[in-house]
Amino acid sequence: RTLSAAARRVLGRMSDSGQSVLLATAGYDHTIRFWEAPTGVCYKTLQHPDSQVNQLQITADRQRIAAAGNPSLRLFEINSGPPSALTTYDGHTSNVTAVGFEADGKWMYTASEDGTLKLWDLRAAGCQREYESGSPINSVALHPNQVEIVSGDRDGNIRVWDLAQNACSAELVPDGDKSIQSLSIARDASTLAAANVRGSVFLWRLGPAPGCGESRASADLEQCGSSAEPAEPTEPAEAREAREARAPSAADGAEPRHAEVGGAVPSRLRIEPLQKLQAHASYVIRCIISPDCRRLATTSADHTTKVWDMANNFSCEETLSGHQRWVWDAVFSADSAYLVTASSDQTARLWDLADGVTLQHYTGHHKAVTSIALHDGPV
């Protein structure tokens, strides 16, 4: 297959580190597909027979990929011979909506529509820690200091869970009871972004609280404190999301306040309201801050992805149009120059952010594509 000049440029830039590019997509057809990023060729398919896949995450060492399903999470060995799940993590009772790994790969976190956030030591059996949100959790982000995990739920709450103090340390309610769909924390720990069903994105400036210096938690959980799939809709979850969207509220404030959930403890974070964007006229499904902390991308039910310039008062830099249905997920390349998006139109796309054009289509899924994982940086 002949590569276009643009695709060859992608191959060169995405492989500058000397590492191969790992790109995977999944969704409602019960498969996880691995792609050659520049060519769009699918070279491996893993079966995920139990349910749809809600989110994918690749470990930092590029050896394993986690697939969040309903109600379990499966961890696959990427480079093994016969493709099969290495480990299955049970314990949630509903859709697992979020998964991620601690920086050193010693533990993993998951969140679910059952209202719980769980921590799993990958060197031991079972769930080591659990936090109860009291509402279905849609998104979770781990602070770069590895001490706090931030969750966003369907009742509009954003909670900061302090792993060292083993409790909720702060709570934000930016827009009344409007469901928080997605969270992202900048790698330099400067900014928190949260998107909701009204198409709004809220930004906060982060820093250490007075008297708290920068810190990083131990990777060992024990040192941080004590310790039936639904019928698949034609358009995955869209009708449900529409029913759950509540009437508009006049509450537009974003002032942080301490939570009474699980016993409030002093927060080590200073959280200051920075800005509110009316990013889309419809639901924002995903928001993500680029690795270089200069761009914010938002995906929406309006079939578009928008890219915002964080250094220029969050002005809209690009509107990426081309998908024919909802855009569910997005991920930046390691150099922040490219973006991969996934859509209900059964495809994923690779975009060059320098000129806002599609460089590659990834076709082969038979139902909505709802999750992407990309690892194109050094191990």
Side-chain angles (χ1 to χ4, degrees), residues 274-289:
L274 180 61
Q275 192 154 335
K276 175 188 174 182
L277 300 175
Q278 191 54 48
H280 297 263
S282 188
Y283 310 130
V284 177
I285 302 172
R286 182 77 69 219
C287 67
I288 180 170
I289 298 172

Side-chain angles (χ1 to χ4, degrees), residues 312-335:
N312 189 24
N313 200 34
F314 293 92
S315 61
C316 186
E317 184 179 295
E318 297 276 2
T319 297
L320 307 178
S321 300
H323 283 299
Q324 301 304 304
R325 303 186 84 173
W326 289 27
V327 186
W328 284 92
D329 201 5
V331 60
F332 283 96
S333 60
D335 64 2

Side-chain angles (χ1 to χ4, degrees), residues 231-314:
E232 183 175 305
T234 302
E235 182 73 7
E238 294 185 12
R240 186 192 67 187
E241 292 281 16
R243 288 194 302 272
E244 290 172 354
R246 297 173 173 87
S249 166
D252 287 326
E255 290 293 337
R257 61 184 175 86
H258 284 294
E260 298 302 324
V261 180
V265 295
S267 176
R268 70 182 68 242
L269 287 181
R270 184 182 73 253
I271 309 173
E272 300 175 345
L274 180 61
Q275 192 154 335
K276 175 188 174 182
L277 300 175
Q278 191 54 48
H280 297 263
S282 188
Y283 310 130
V284 177
I285 302 172
R286 182 77 69 219
C287 67
I288 180 170
I289 298 172
S290 62
D292 65 5
C293 306
R294 295 179 179 177
R295 289 169 164 147
L296 170 73
T298 57
T299 75
S300 174
D302 67 10
H303 307 179
T304 71
T305 300
K306 293 186 179 182
V307 181
W308 309 83
D309 186 346
M310 295 179 64
N312 189 24
N313 200 34
F314 293 92

Side-chain angles (χ1 to χ4, degrees), residues 26-236:
Y28 270 74
D29 66 0
H30 296 196
T31 67
I32 303 168
R33 295 176 181 266
F34 290 83
W35 307 88
E36 294 178 1
T39 67
V41 172
C42 177
Y43 64 87
K44 179 185 287 189
T45 301
L46 304 180
Q47 300 299 316
H48 191 272
D50 295 342
S51 73
Q52 81 281 359
V53 177
N54 300 314
Q55 190 174 19
L56 293 172
Q57 192 72 245
I58 298 171
T59 56
D61 63 7
R62 306 160 64 93
Q63 298 302 307
R64 293 168 289 178
I65 187 168
N70 184 10
S72 300
L73 180 132
R74 290 177 179 267
L75 195 61
F76 294 84
E77 195 76 45
I78 293 175
N79 301 310
S80 64
S84 59
L86 177 68
T87 312
T88 298
Y89 292 86
D90 297 313
H92 288 294
T93 58
S94 187
N95 268 308
V96 181
T97 53
V99 58
F101 296 94
E102 175 265 347
D104 296 327
K106 294 182 179 180
W107 52 268
M108 172 179 70
Y109 58 88
T110 59
S112 168
E113 290 180 350
D114 66 12
T116 65
L117 167 66
K118 296 179 184 289
L119 306 186
W120 313 79
D121 190 328
L122 298 179
R123 304 158 296 178
C127 169
Q128 278 68 47
R129 305 273 288 280
E130 178 177 312
Y131 301 101
E132 177 63 54
S133 175
S135 177
I137 299 175
N138 292 326
S139 184
V140 171
L142 177 63
H143 192 283
N145 66 12
Q146 314 295 294
V147 179
E148 286 99 1
I149 295 182
V150 183
S151 66
D153 67 37
R154 195 176 293 172
D155 285 344
N157 304 299
I158 299 170
R159 293 188 171 97
V160 181
W161 304 94
D162 189 308
L163 305 186
Q165 301 183 83
N166 202 27
C168 178
S169 62
E171 182 179 343
L172 310 171
V173 186
D175 199 5
D177 60 0
K178 305 304 175 291
S179 177
I180 302 296
Q181 298 300 104
S182 183
L183 298 169
S184 183
I185 299 177
R187 286 192 181 181
D188 64 2
S190 64
T191 310
L192 167 66
N196 74 6
V197 294
R198 294 185 70 191
S200 301
V201 178
F202 297 87
L203 290 307
W204 292 267
R205 183 180 291 109
L206 301 180
C212 292
E214 297 291 345
S215 60
R216 188 177 186 276
S218 165
D220 292 320
L221 295 181
E222 62 269 21
Q223 295 182 25
C224 291
S226 60
S227 58
E229 183 181 358
E232 183 175 305
T234 302
E235 182 73 7

